[in-house]
Amino acid sequence: MFSRITYVFREMWASLSRNLTLTVAAVITATVSLFLSGLTLLIQEGFDNQLSAWTKGVRLLVYVDNDATPEQLKVFTDALTQAKAEGTVVKDFNYCDVACSVDVAHKLYAGDPTAIELYNDKTTPSFFRVIPVNQSSATQLNQLAERLHGLPKVNAVVSPDQMITTLSVLKGFVGVRSLIMSIVLLLAAVLLIWNAIRTAMFARRREIEVMKLVGATNWFIRLPFMLEGLVTGLIGGLIGGGALLAVNQDWTDGITTRFPANSGLAAFVATGSTPWSIALAMVALGALVGAIGSATAAGRFLDV
Amino acid sequence: MFSRITYVFREMWASLSRNLTLTVAAVITATVSLFLSGLTLLIQEGFDNQLSAWTKGVRLLVYVDNDATPEQLKVFTDALTQAKAEGTVVKDFNYCDVACSVDVAHKLYAGDPTAIELYNDKTTPSFFRVIPVNQSSATQLNQLAERLHGLPKVNAVVSPDQMITTLSVLKGFVGVRSLIMSIVLLLAAVLLIWNAIRTAMFARRREIEVMKLVGATNWFIRLPFMLEGLVTGLIGGLIGGGALLAVNQDWTDGITTRFPANSGLAAFVATGSTPWSIALAMVALGALVGAIGSATAAGRFLDV
Amino acid sequence: MIRIENVTKTYSTDVTALRDASFEVNKAEFVFLVGPSGSGKSTLLRLMSRQERPEKGGVWVAGRNIVEMPNNKIPELRRKIGNIFQDYKLLLNKTVFENVAFALEVIGKPKQVIRQQVPQVLEIVGLEDKADRFPHQLSGGEQQRVSIARAFVNRPLILLADEPTGNLDPGTGEGIMRLLDRINTTGTTVVMATHDQRIVNQMRKRVIQLDRGVIVRDQHRGVYD
Amino acid sequence: MIRIENVTKTYSTDVTALRDASFEVNKAEFVFLVGPSGSGKSTLLRLMSRQERPEKGGVWVAGRNIVEMPNNKIPELRRKIGNIFQDYKLLLNKTVFENVAFALEVIGKPKQVIRQQVPQVLEIVGLEDKADRFPHQLSGGEQQRVSIARAFVNRPLILLADEPTGNLDPGTGEGIMRLLDRINTTGTTVVMATHDQRIVNQMRKRVIQLDRGVIVRDQHRGVYD
Ligand SMILES: Nc1ncnc2c1ncn2[C@@H]1O[C@H](COP(=O)(O)OP(=O)(O)OP(=O)(O)O)[C@@H](O)[C@H]1O
Ligand SMILES: Nc1ncnc2c1ncn2[C@@H]1O[C@H](COP(=O)(O)OP(=O)(O)OP(=O)(O)O)[C@@H](O)[C@H]1O
Ligand SMILES: [Mg+2]
Ligand SMILES: [Mg+2]
């Protein structure tokens, strides 16, 4: 049994090194494709985190003219209470009257005497603060903002930044396309591994023929080749996963040092164990790709 | 002569189709790598356009407290005149006194009575408008802004958006990394084409041996293989270049329809004939890669 | 040991290589297959190790009909048979020693058995000093002897030899024949296809003659023609 | 036509395959190379078409010393020589017709010449009805005949034949020998390595005998031994 195992590994290694360039090409393609797949996932994760960071801080501020009557204010309260009861967009709301609003402004511009002078109970409008439900989308918030804008005495509705919409669209655009690209490359990787195995077997078809003629079993013949494909895919997965972690580290570092502090990209990172899970998934995917490629390739040439 | 040409093409075709999976894998890898290279160039172009669009509109506004004396204002005028004389950052500047500033504010908030009320000659600071030299970088502008901020009676310096800095850094970050990735893939493509040719020649080494023994010249033997590599690279270049144009079209369309009008990405496109030039360069690069791969591969096996 | 019963073999090219052939070979018998080029000798040998399957008839080897044998039993069958091929079928990237050892290795023989038996058998075929050569570093006849060594390193029950002396000079050829004879006397059944008139006439063994796929003569202690 | 002068050939494995060999073959001569397996016959033939280069000595073919010939002149030399290889060297993915046509195609012969000459030569070796077969669909002897056909379809000045009858039954072998004789009488120089005692004795041509790389006999109208 032991001699069989050494046989399998020796043969695998011989075949790997004999086909060196093809193996290297297969590894590179597997690496890049797995790296791209992982990167797609990481970028998606970054988008998600950035979006939720932006969305989480979102407050819809509805500024109401100071001369609004209590009846007019009640229209707002009613509309928002109803929306809150529906529960899809509005999670909660509260009213900040003129005194409260001046207070907020003075806190906000604490260091700026001119601004503090500017905001007095004449000039500062009161406002409703609307806290959206966590899962509510940017579109829904925009719709709500428009509805509220239609009410009387509204001075301004400050809605979530259009940046959020832009980012969502960008996420979809980039995500779908990089996914397609990585799938195409993954396909190329399967094909290449399939091919490396087929080439290896083709180059050794005489050997295989002789092995069969002297009574070797099909599994004995097949094993080194299958292992070869598995190892090729695995190496690709390891390098690709490693590169992924490195680039992720690089980016995460860059977020805090390279970019201006206030660049608004601070949340555009995958956090915690996510990069590791993705990298591990890539290693597993590499092994799977290798196994699939080599198993299908090794199936041929072996009809006794 | 004619029979030679048909021979070369017939043999090339036979070899291409016999090695189908390897050829397909080589084409895919060439395609994706060329596509990525092109995409890198396109993205760089987009960054450049976006950056220059943003930089073009930049004005440095230096707000001065209303109680500044003419002597204090002269300090500003002197500093800016000097900077203008140096010519590296400041192209021109002018002073907008309180009346002018109120006027500007009223124009800006024409539709907003509250705001108009807010901006009167008590509350509105006068300002210097600094027009930067076209080529001046974001860093230079920021330095100037800081210098001016140090002067007495400065209320605020509104400097070019930090977004520009962010974008520049992003350009560098994305650019270098996608370039590396596409170069790695390009290497894989060369390797694969080299390999496809080597495999083709290896599979036919008996044939080559016999050809040599019956008196075929080396060029006669080599030509079909070299053509095969060239065609592989060329096909990769054509598909990659085509995909590049398609994605570019898709993105450019998306800029105006898919993203919110005000997303700030309107300039993030490559314009005019640039995408075409890049796509053509990719086709040429593909052919070059194929030629290099096959020429080096065909050099082997051919020592008489 | 081997029984061929009404075997007809037709190739895809509409060539009938064998037509209704029947004969039996006993244990420890020595049989020459003779006949002109293309008469079906190699085909007959290939049928006996299931490299081909006949359209009609049965092929019994060591008591089992191998025509209907499932694929996963074939390796077992082949381990009982030593094959000497007309075109040697040596592995070009292995040395002489490795080529012979290979036949033991793939059927799972332990290292020490290999280290012992391979040099023995190389000495028998006169190649002990060429164990480290690669096939392309050997003359045609030397390659043929490697293929002979490989075929019986495994001490098979049956030895199927396709022109084992085709590329040997008379002297070396006679050596090989003495060897096959010795193997035969230890109980191994030998079936050998040959064109070598001299050898057949010298050995005086059973001769089965083929002509265009038909057995035209089956003679004990026969001559070439 | 061919002149071998003090040729010594040593292989990388420290085997001296030829030692100080000298002889001359005239135009239209017929020479048998004989000797035991491994004595250097194939090596000698390979030297004549520059498949190998000697360490010492000169090899003149058609008036030129081919030892120092630059690589780009080799194709021209080989077009003057027909080679029959001990291991046939057929192209497995080409039919019989294509294998023979190939030799004309690669040296740029036009289509109509190919269409005319290939069937002619296939008829001569008795394979006219097997033109569309692939090599694996042929018996050993049939493959050998394809390689013979390919070697002289080009009507070469010199024919180098390495055991062209090794896998042929005596009948077919005699046919091939008559053919080589006929080719020889039209002015082609023939050098043939062989083990076939009967053929050498029948033909009564010049015999050069090798033993371990040394020419031990050079006899006109000689016999095998
Ligand atoms: N795979 C095949 N496909 C088609 N025809 C074949 C195949 N193998 C052999 N033949 C044909 O079958 C016939 C018998 O072939 P076989 O190889 O058995 O002859 P043989 O007696 O061994 O000849 P030789 O002495 O020349 O080796 C021949 O006519 C040959 O052309
Ligand atoms: N490429 C090579 N490398 C090393 N040694 C070689 C090589 N080719 C031949 N030899 C050795 O040179 C000697 C002569 O070989 P050659 O093939 O010329 O013999 P031969 O007379 O043709 O024999 P045969 O009749 O068996 O074909 C042999 O001992 C052989 O082992
Ligand atoms: Mg045969
Ligand atoms: Mg020889």
Side-chain angles (χ1 to χ4, degrees):
Chain A
M1 202 53 224
F2 177 72
S3 84
R4 293 244 183 148
I5 292 171
T6 57
Y7 165 87
V8 165
F9 277 90
R10 177 162 48 80
E11 288 297 311
M12 181 207 79
W13 179 250
S15 176
L16 266 180
S17 48
R18 200 169 324 135
N19 267 310
L20 200 61
T21 52
L22 190 49
T23 306
V24 169
V27 166
I28 288 182
T29 311
T31 299
V32 175
S33 63
L34 290 169
F35 174 75
L36 263 186
S37 311
L39 200 62
T40 308
L41 293 180
L42 266 187
I43 289 175
Q44 295 290 322
E45 178 77 12
F47 271 117
D48 283 346
N49 285 345
Q50 180 76 56
L51 280 172
S52 84
W54 282 355
T55 317
K56 220 172 9 227
V58 159
R59 299 285 181 270
L60 212 60
L61 299 185
V62 185
Y63 290 94
V64 185
D65 288 350
N66 284 357
D67 57 357
T69 61
E71 287 74 39
Q72 283 171 329
L73 285 179
K74 191 162 182 310
V75 176
F76 282 91
T77 319
D78 287 353
L80 288 169
T81 311
Q82 192 199 330
K84 185 183 171 187
E86 282 165 12
T88 49
V89 185
V90 175
K91 187 179 169 194
D92 208 349
F93 70 95
N94 51 45
Y95 178 60
C96 186
D97 61 20
V98 176
C100 156
S101 185
V102 169
D103 206 44
V104 166
H106 285 193
K107 265 184 202 146
L108 210 64
Y109 297 100
D112 188 345
T114 325
I116 291 182
E117 253 172 64
L118 234 72
Y119 287 100
N120 52 45
D121 51 8
K122 278 261 168 47
T123 58
T124 313
S126 70
F127 60 86
F128 283 89
R129 190 190 282 112
V130 181
I131 299 155
V133 167
N134 260 347
Q135 295 81 25
S136 59
S137 71
T139 330
Q140 283 175 314
L141 280 175
N142 281 336
Q143 279 168 356
L144 180 68
E146 249 166 71
R147 230 172 76 207
L148 293 173
H149 209 291
L151 298 178
K153 289 292 169 187
V154 169
N155 183 303
V157 177
V158 178
S159 67
D161 203 336
Q162 282 176 308
M163 206 59 190
I164 294 184
T165 323
T166 307
L167 205 66
S168 309
V169 175
L170 208 60
K171 177 191 168 189
F173 192 90
V174 172
V176 169
R177 275 151 198 83
S178 64
L179 199 70
I180 289 176
M181 201 150 75
S182 57
I183 287 176
V184 167
L185 264 185
L186 217 57
L187 207 82
V190 173
L191 223 74
L192 271 176
I193 291 174
W194 188 92
N195 215 283
I197 304 309
R198 206 203 59 146
T199 307
M201 296 191 83
F202 184 78
R204 304 213 284 162
R205 65 195 184 287
R206 274 177 68 100
E207 201 159 332
I208 291 172
E209 187 195 351
V210 173
M211 285 168 94
K212 288 197 286 188
L213 288 173
V214 298
T217 60
N218 278 350
W219 272 111
F220 187 84
I221 299 171
R222 207 183 268 142
L223 222 56
F225 294 108
M226 295 190 56
L227 209 64
E228 179 182 341
L230 195 77
V231 166
T232 307
L234 206 62
I235 294 176
L238 285 172
I239 305 181
L244 203 62
L245 288 178
V247 166
N248 182 60
Q249 193 58 47
D250 194 7
W251 172 263
T252 309
D253 289 353
I255 282 289
T256 51
T257 62
R258 204 174 332 211
F259 291 101
N262 197 17
S263 70
L265 282 172
F268 203 96
V269 287
T271 49
S273 64
T274 313
W276 280 96
S277 323
I278 292 178
L280 276 181
M282 289 309 111
V283 174
L285 190 59
L288 186 72
V289 159
I292 290 174
S294 56
T296 48
R300 288 157 51 99
F301 290 115
L302 277 185
D303 29 339
V304 180
Chain B
M1 203 52 226
F2 178 71
S3 84
R4 294 246 181 146
I5 292 170
T6 58
Y7 165 87
V8 166
F9 277 90
R10 175 160 51 80
E11 288 299 308
M12 181 206 78
W13 181 248
S15 175
L16 267 179
S17 48
R18 203 170 320 136
N19 268 310
L20 200 59
T21 52
L22 190 50
T23 306
V24 169
V27 166
I28 288 180
T29 311
T31 299
V32 175
S33 62
L34 290 170
F35 174 76
L36 263 185
S37 311
L39 200 61
T40 308
L41 294 180
L42 268 186
I43 289 175
Q44 295 289 324
E45 178 78 12
F47 270 117
D48 283 346
N49 284 345
Q50 180 76 56
L51 279 172
S52 83
W54 281 355
T55 317
K56 232 191 334 249
V58 159
R59 299 282 181 276
L60 211 60
L61 299 184
V62 187
Y63 289 93
V64 185
D65 288 349
N66 283 358
D67 57 359
T69 61
E71 287 74 39
Q72 285 171 327
L73 283 180
K74 192 164 180 307
V75 176
F76 283 92
T77 319
D78 287 352
L80 288 170
T81 311
Q82 192 200 330
K84 183 181 169 186
E86 281 166 13
T88 49
V89 186
V90 177
K91 188 178 167 196
D92 209 347
F93 70 96
N94 50 47
Y95 177 61
C96 184
D97 61 20
V98 176
C100 156
S101 186
V102 169
D103 205 41
V104 167
H106 285 195
K107 266 184 202 147
L108 210 61
Y109 297 99
D112 188 344
T114 324
I116 289 182
E117 254 171 62
L118 232 75
Y119 288 101
N120 52 46
D121 50 10
K122 278 260 166 50
T123 57
T124 313
S126 68
F127 61 87
F128 284 89
R129 189 191 283 112
V130 181
I131 300 155
V133 168
N134 262 346
Q135 294 84 24
S136 58
S137 73
T139 330
Q140 283 175 312
L141 281 175
N142 282 335
Q143 281 169 353
L144 181 66
E146 249 166 72
R147 228 173 77 207
L148 293 174
H149 208 289
L151 297 180
K153 288 293 169 188
V154 170
N155 183 302
V157 178
V158 178
S159 68
D161 203 338
Q162 283 175 307
M163 206 62 190
I164 292 183
T165 323
T166 308
L167 205 65
S168 305
V169 176
L170 207 61
K171 176 191 168 188
F173 192 91
V174 173
V176 169
R177 276 150 196 84
S178 63
L179 199 69
I180 289 175
M181 199 153 73
S182 57
I183 287 174
V184 167
L185 263 185
L186 218 55
L187 209 80
V190 173
L191 223 74
L192 273 175
I193 290 174
W194 189 92
N195 215 282
I197 303 309
R198 209 204 57 148
T199 308
M201 294 190 86
F202 184 77
R204 305 211 284 162
R205 64 196 184 289
R206 274 177 67 99
E207 201 159 333
I208 291 172
E209 189 196 350
V210 172
M211 285 168 93
K212 288 196 285 189
L213 288 173
V214 297
T217 60
N218 279 351
W219 273 109
F220 186 83
I221 299 172
R222 205 183 270 142
L223 220 57
F225 294 108
M226 294 190 57
L227 209 64
E228 180 182 340
L230 195 78
V231 166
T232 308
L234 207 61
I235 294 176
L238 285 173
I239 304 181
L244 202 64
L245 287 179
V247 166
N248 183 61
Q249 194 57 48
D250 195 6
W251 171 263
T252 309
D253 289 353
I255 283 289
T256 49
T257 62
R258 204 174 330 212
F259 292 101
N262 198 17
S263 68
L265 282 171
F268 204 98
V269 287
T271 48
S273 63
T274 313
W276 280 95
S277 320
I278 294 178
L280 276 181
M282 291 309 111
V283 174
L285 190 59
L288 186 72
V289 159
I292 291 173
S294 55
T296 48
R300 290 159 49 98
F301 289 114
L302 278 185
D303 30 337
V304 182
Chain C
M1 193 47 104
I2 301 169
R3 184 150 54 92
I4 304 289
E5 221 175 72
N6 304 107
V7 161
T8 297
K9 170 72 195 169
T10 310
Y11 284 111
S12 52
T13 43
D14 276 341
V15 184
T16 305
L18 283 177
R19 198 185 305 269
D20 202 30
S22 294
F23 62 90
E24 197 164 340
V25 180
N26 292 324
K27 188 163 160 45
E29 214 178 347
F30 197 119
V31 181
F32 283 118
L33 294 178
V34 302
S37 173
S39 59
K41 303 180 295 298
S42 297
T43 300
L44 200 45
L45 291 177
R46 282 201 293 268
L47 284 172
M48 293 176 188
S49 52
R50 247 290 285 271
Q51 290 167 257
E52 306 273 4
R53 269 174 163 182
E55 277 70 52
K56 275 189 235 144
V59 179
W60 277 264
V61 175
R64 300 194 49 178
N65 187 343
I66 64 170
V67 177
E68 300 304 332
M69 194 176 253
N71 275 351
N72 61 0
K73 293 273 180 257
I74 306 294
E76 206 180 298
L77 165 74
R78 292 201 177 138
R79 290 174 195 200
K80 296 184 189 137
I81 300 174
N83 251 312
I84 301 170
F85 303 100
Q86 199 164 1
D87 53 355
Y88 321 147
K89 294 200 196 298
L90 299 181
L91 303 179
L92 303 178
N93 56 340
K94 289 197 191 301
T95 64
V96 168
F97 184 97
E98 287 166 354
N99 261 285
V100 177
F102 192 62
L104 295 174
E105 207 167 11
V106 299
I107 63 173
K109 283 281 156 74
K111 273 258 170 5
Q112 56 270 36
V113 175
I114 293 173
R115 263 197 293 267
Q116 184 204 333
Q117 289 191 348
V118 175
Q120 257 178 31
V121 86
L122 284 179
E123 207 188 318
I124 294 178
V125 296
L127 288 176
E128 62 276 24
D129 54 338
K130 298 195 164 107
D132 294 332
R133 297 266 197 99
F134 288 93
H136 74 270
Q137 299 174 324
L138 297 174
S139 78
E142 287 160 351
Q143 291 183 41
Q144 192 152 51
R145 282 181 273 161
V146 178
S147 105
I148 294 170
R150 185 182 59 193
F152 70 80
V153 67
N154 187 27
R155 318 281 158 177
L157 280 176
I158 300 167
L159 200 61
L160 305 176
D162 202 350
E163 317 250 9
T165 61
N167 279 298
L168 297 178
D169 60 290
T172 316
E174 261 162 48
I176 292 297
M177 285 318 297
R178 270 197 300 276
L179 175 64
L180 288 182
D181 200 21
R182 208 162 68 219
I183 294 171
N184 177 234
T185 54
T186 66
T188 304
T189 312
V190 179
V191 182
M192 167 172 164
T194 187
H195 291 303
D196 200 319
Q197 217 168 345
R198 247 170 39 118
I199 284 176
V200 176
N201 293 346
Q202 259 172 16
M203 297 276 288
R204 286 304 186 115
K205 300 283 187 180
R206 178 176 172 194
V207 173
I208 294 176
Q209 187 178 344
L210 288 164
D211 190 14
R212 273 161 281 164
V214 178
I215 296 181
V216 294
R217 177 164 66 112
D218 185 349
Q219 184 179 20
H220 282 267
R221 302 188 56 74
V223 293
Y224 188 86
D225 197 9
Chain D
M1 190 49 102
I2 301 170
R3 184 150 56 94
I4 306 288
E5 222 175 71
N6 303 108
V7 161
T8 297
K9 168 73 195 168
T10 311
Y11 284 111
S12 53
T13 44
D14 274 341
V15 184
T16 305
L18 283 175
R19 196 185 306 270
D20 201 29
S22 294
F23 62 90
E24 196 163 342
V25 180
N26 293 324
K27 190 163 158 46
E29 216 178 344
F30 197 119
V31 181
F32 282 119
L33 295 177
V34 302
S37 172
S39 58
K41 304 181 293 299
S42 298
T43 300
L44 201 44
L45 291 178
R46 283 202 291 268
L47 285 172
M48 294 176 188
S49 52
R50 248 290 286 269
Q51 289 166 259
E52 305 275 7
R53 269 174 162 180
E55 277 70 51
K56 276 188 235 142
V59 179
W60 278 264
V61 174
R64 300 196 48 180
N65 187 343
I66 65 171
V67 176
E68 300 305 332
M69 195 176 252
N71 275 351
N72 62 0
K73 293 272 180 261
I74 306 295
E76 206 180 298
L77 165 74
R78 292 200 178 140
R79 291 175 194 198
K80 294 183 192 139
I81 300 173
N83 251 312
I84 301 170
F85 303 100
Q86 200 165 359
D87 53 354
Y88 321 148
K89 293 200 197 296
L90 299 182
L91 302 178
L92 302 178
N93 56 341
K94 291 197 191 297
T95 64
V96 168
F97 184 98
E98 286 164 355
N99 262 285
V100 177
F102 191 64
L104 295 175
E105 209 168 9
V106 300
I107 62 172
K109 283 279 157 73
K111 273 258 171 3
Q112 56 269 34
V113 174
I114 294 172
R115 262 198 294 269
Q116 184 204 335
Q117 288 190 348
V118 175
Q120 257 177 32
V121 85
L122 284 180
E123 205 186 317
I124 294 176
V125 297
L127 288 175
E128 63 275 27
D129 55 337
K130 296 194 165 108
D132 294 332
R133 297 265 196 100
F134 288 93
H136 74 269
Q137 299 174 326
L138 298 174
S139 77
E142 287 160 353
Q143 292 183 39
Q144 195 153 48
R145 284 180 273 161
V146 178
S147 104
I148 295 170
R150 185 183 58 193
F152 68 79
V153 66
N154 185 28
R155 317 282 158 177
L157 278 176
I158 299 167
L159 200 60
L160 305 176
D162 202 350
E163 318 251 9
T165 60
N167 279 298
L168 296 178
D169 60 291
T172 316
E174 262 163 49
I176 292 297
M177 287 317 297
R178 269 197 301 277
L179 176 64
L180 289 182
D181 199 23
R182 209 164 67 220
I183 294 171
N184 176 236
T185 53
T186 65
T188 305
T189 311
V190 179
V191 183
M192 169 171 161
T194 187
H195 292 303
D196 199 320
Q197 218 167 345
R198 246 172 38 119
I199 284 175
V200 176
N201 294 346
Q202 259 173 16
M203 297 276 289
R204 286 308 186 108
K205 300 284 189 180
R206 177 174 172 193
V207 173
I208 294 177
Q209 188 178 342
L210 288 163
D211 192 14
R212 275 161 281 166
V214 178
I215 297 181
V216 293
R217 177 166 66 115
D218 186 350
Q219 181 179 22
H220 282 264
R221 302 187 57 76
V223 293
Y224 188 85
D225 198 11

